[in-house]
Amino acid sequence: DAFPISSISAWIARDTTVDRTVQGVGTLVPQAQVDLRAEIAGRVTKIGFKEGQEVKQGQLLVKIADADLVASRDKAKAAVEFMRQTLSRRKEQLVVQAVALQDVDAAVQALASAEADLALAQALLAKTEIRAPFSGRVGLTNAAVGQYLVPGQAVSTMASVRPIRVEFQVPGDEVSQVRPGMEMKFRAWGAKDFLSAKIYATDPNVDSVSRSLRVRALWTGDTKGMVAGTAVEVAIQLSRSKAI
């Protein structure tokens, strides 16, 4: 007689690699971002950029009328030159004892005062120019030639997105596993591939409300199409181990 055929359920046990990761939503953060504001009051005489334009560090962005300040600077320069000549003459006269030492001291003090006035005039004149503090992109502007600005008035914003930073909140139960030097993968919503950035810094303590740790990674590659402030998918591999 033939033996009856039976069936059993079975699984094949294999060695495999298990990745432990933390995933979530991160934010793209610019390398630097500032509000461009007027330091002194005055009428705008020149706008040196176009909205959304890439500008270089030190580039003149806004110029305010400066005729009065230029005159004050030139007057201060003339005073400094006169005081220098006076001091030189006093020193020559002191050699032949034609003046007292206190006259030379008075000339030295007068020159120092004139140089201070010149430095102040130059500092005020420099405030009539708003220059790019770093290379980056200028945003929309609220200024126009002929407009009168008051101190502190915003002219535009500026941001540097090369390189760009990725910020992510690590949940409290995973905080001890994340450290600088680790890889952080990220991608824009809808993008196919992940990009790889390096974590370079973390907050010194966990947020008391969310119980999460803020970490930042740096992406030094192409930032075309990346907009600061947008959300991205983030994944951090915490560990990798063998398992059955």
Side-chain angles (χ1 to χ4, degrees):
D1 293 338
F3 291 101
I5 299 176
S6 301
S7 63
I8 61 173
S9 297
W11 293 265
I12 299 176
R14 293 192 179 97
D15 286 337
T16 186
T17 300
V18 176
D19 290 332
R20 183 184 174 197
T21 62
V22 57
Q23 297 176 310
V25 179
T27 305
L28 295 181
V29 180
Q31 182 69 6
Q33 182 171 335
V34 296
D35 291 330
L36 301 173
R37 297 180 181 274
E39 291 191 67
I40 63 174
R43 177 176 51 84
V44 176
T45 59
K46 180 180 180 180
I47 300 292
F49 68 94
K50 294 181 180 179
E51 294 177 313
Q53 177 187 359
E54 295 284 340
V55 297
K56 298 294 184 181
Q57 182 177 6
Q59 180 176 331
L60 178 65
L61 304 179
V62 178
K63 178 64 178 177
I64 297 175
D66 61 1
D68 54 338
L69 296 177
V70 169
S72 297
R73 180 203 59 188
D74 293 344
K75 181 180 179 180
K77 279 185 176 181
V80 168
E81 184 60 29
F82 176 74
M83 293 306 175
R84 284 175 180 168
Q85 293 175 0
T86 299
L87 176 59
S88 178
R89 287 194 298 268
R90 292 291 182 267
K91 289 181 177 179
E92 292 174 356
Q93 292 169 342
L94 181 63
V95 172
V96 296
Q97 297 183 347
V99 294
L101 181 58
Q102 65 182 18
D103 294 326
V104 177
D105 293 339
V108 171
Q109 183 178 1
L111 175 59
S113 178
E115 289 176 336
D117 290 340
L118 175 58
L120 176 60
Q122 290 174 330
L124 291 175
L125 185 59
K127 291 182 178 181
T128 64
E129 296 179 345
I130 300 178
R131 294 185 175 273
F134 48 79
S135 296
R137 183 181 304 159
V138 183
L140 304 181
T141 182
N142 301 313
V145 173
Q147 180 180 352
Y148 188 86
L149 301 180
V150 298
Q153 183 173 344
V155 174
S156 184
T157 58
M158 182 177 174
S160 174
V161 294
R162 286 198 299 264
I164 199 167
R165 297 176 291 182
V166 186
E167 187 174 291
F168 179 62
Q169 301 281 354
V170 177
D173 55 348
E174 307 290 0
V175 165
S176 62
Q177 304 297 318
V178 178
R179 60 190 179 276
M182 293 180 66
E183 184 180 61
M184 177 191 290
K185 293 184 178 297
F186 72 99
R187 67 181 177 185
W189 295 105
K192 180 179 179 181
D193 299 322
F194 277 93
L195 301 175
S196 180
K198 287 290 184 181
I199 297 176
Y200 70 91
T202 67
D203 268 343
N205 53 275
V206 173
D207 184 88
S208 60
V209 177
S210 64
R211 297 300 177 185
S212 60
L213 181 71
R214 185 173 60 165
V215 302
R216 281 182 177 175
L218 191 65
W219 168 250
T220 59
D222 185 17
T223 59
K224 184 177 180 180
M226 296 184 183
V227 180
T230 56
V232 291
E233 295 180 75
V234 170
I236 303 175
Q237 181 178 301
L238 300 179
S239 64
R240 172 173 289 182
S241 58
K242 290 287 186 177
I244 300 298

